[in-house]
């Protein structure tokens, strides 16, 4: 593919094409998505689609890039949260679990795994646009809590990752493997409470 063929050209139907491609790629993945289906879903001709994206790989990566940007634009909001470790971790846990169980989170995870060989940078982009930002915010809070004597942590990155993984136990695997399709608020709260209590049992100060 020459350099000219790699250019994504913007135009009045660019967003329309991108939205149609988003629907098809998130539903069918890269391999299962056909150009015909994308054009039909977008409401454009194949000629129009190819005018914007001469190659399906370019279109897929633009969809993935825009989805990662969408994820980055919806950061973990902890405004007004009490500064106690339990309150912070509960709010952070709710956010992590909500994103992990969302349609976007599940479908992007599946696509990143399925297309890891064809698009090796896709997983990194997805991680940097979301999970890495959440990890950074949790680490920042943990550092402050340790400085105030509220927690006892030496490896902040490990602790942040451990907490995030605690928030994904049980429910996320059940959704990924199609064992269940939805969960009650009580089921979600059970996981979050368990994650917070387990984390504080490991890193909380005695007394």
């Amino acid at each position: 593919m020459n350099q000219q063929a790699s250019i994504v050209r913007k135009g009045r139907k660019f967003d329309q094409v991108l939205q149609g491609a988003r629907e098809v790629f998130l539903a069918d993945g890269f391999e299962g998505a056909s150009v015909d289906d994308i054009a039909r879903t977008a409401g454009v001709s194949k000629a129009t689609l190819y005018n914007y994206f001469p190659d399906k790989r370019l279109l897929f990566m633009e969809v993935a890039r825009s989805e990662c940007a969408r994820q980055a634009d919806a950061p973990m909001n902890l405004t007004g949260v009490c500064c106690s470790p339990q309150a912070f971790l509960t709010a952070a846990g709710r956010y992590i679990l909500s994103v992990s169980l969302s349609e976007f989170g599940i479908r992007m995870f599946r696509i990143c795994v399925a297309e890891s060989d064809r698009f090796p940078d896709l997983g990194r982009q997805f991680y940097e646009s979301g999970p890495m930002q959440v990890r950074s915010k949790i680490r920042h809070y943990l550092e402050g809590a340790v400085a105030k004597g509220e927690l006892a942590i030496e490896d902040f990155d490990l602790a942040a990752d451990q907490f995030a993984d605690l928030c994904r136990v049980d429910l996320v695997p059940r959704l990924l493997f199609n064992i269940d399709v939805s969960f009650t608020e009580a089921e979600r709260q059970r996981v979050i409470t368990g994650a917070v209590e387990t984390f504080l049992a490991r890193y909380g100060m005695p007394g």
Side-chain angles (χ1 to χ4, degrees):
M1 184 187 309
N2 60 37
Q3 185 176 8
Q4 182 64 30
S6 300
I7 296 174
V8 177
R9 286 167 289 186
K10 300 295 179 72
R12 64 187 182 89
K13 292 190 176 182
F14 177 84
D15 290 338
Q16 188 175 330
V17 170
L18 204 62
Q19 179 58 33
R22 177 185 185 275
E23 292 181 23
V24 176
F25 281 133
L26 288 181
D28 301 333
F30 176 81
E31 193 64 35
S34 73
V35 173
D36 287 332
D37 287 341
I38 293 171
R40 182 165 50 252
T41 302
V44 301
S45 67
K46 287 175 66 175
T48 297
L49 189 152
Y50 281 126
N51 184 52
Y52 291 114
F53 298 96
D55 184 273
K56 189 172 83 165
R57 291 172 62 93
L58 289 172
L59 179 53
F60 178 79
M61 286 306 298
E62 180 63 18
V63 168
R65 186 204 63 74
S66 66
E67 288 305 294
C68 288
R70 185 198 303 263
Q71 180 181 225
D73 287 340
M76 181 171 60
N77 183 7
L78 298 174
T79 303
V81 172
C82 173
C83 291
S84 73
Q86 183 172 3
F88 174 88
L89 293 170
T90 298
R94 284 186 177 278
Y95 176 85
I96 292 169
L97 184 58
S98 176
V99 172
S100 298
L101 293 177
S102 69
E103 180 182 14
F104 167 80
I106 292 295
R107 289 188 176 184
M108 282 299 291
F109 177 82
R110 286 174 171 158
I111 288 175
C112 287
V113 172
E115 306 298 344
S116 59
D117 290 336
R118 186 180 287 108
F119 301 100
D121 289 337
L122 180 58
R124 176 185 55 78
Q125 292 179 18
F126 176 69
Y127 178 78
E128 290 178 351
S129 68
M132 191 171 76
Q133 293 190 29
V134 173
R135 181 203 207 198
S136 176
K137 290 187 177 183
I138 293 176
R139 176 192 168 114
H140 179 73
Y141 174 83
L142 296 179
E143 290 173 340
V146 168
K148 290 187 289 187
E150 296 175 330
L151 298 173
I153 300 172
E154 293 184 0
D155 190 331
F156 292 101
D157 286 335
L158 177 62
D161 288 339
Q162 286 173 332
F163 178 71
D165 282 344
L166 285 171
C167 295
R168 299 187 183 102
V169 300
D170 189 23
L171 304 189
V172 174
R174 282 160 59 186
L175 191 59
L176 281 171
F177 293 113
N178 293 315
I179 297 172
D180 292 294
V181 296
S182 64
F183 304 101
T184 66
E185 177 58 29
E187 289 178 297
R188 291 171 181 248
Q189 187 58 49
R190 168 178 167 268
V191 170
I192 294 167
T193 299
V196 173
E197 291 179 349
T198 300
F199 187 87
L200 292 178
R202 169 64 179 85
Y203 294 112
M205 297 296 287

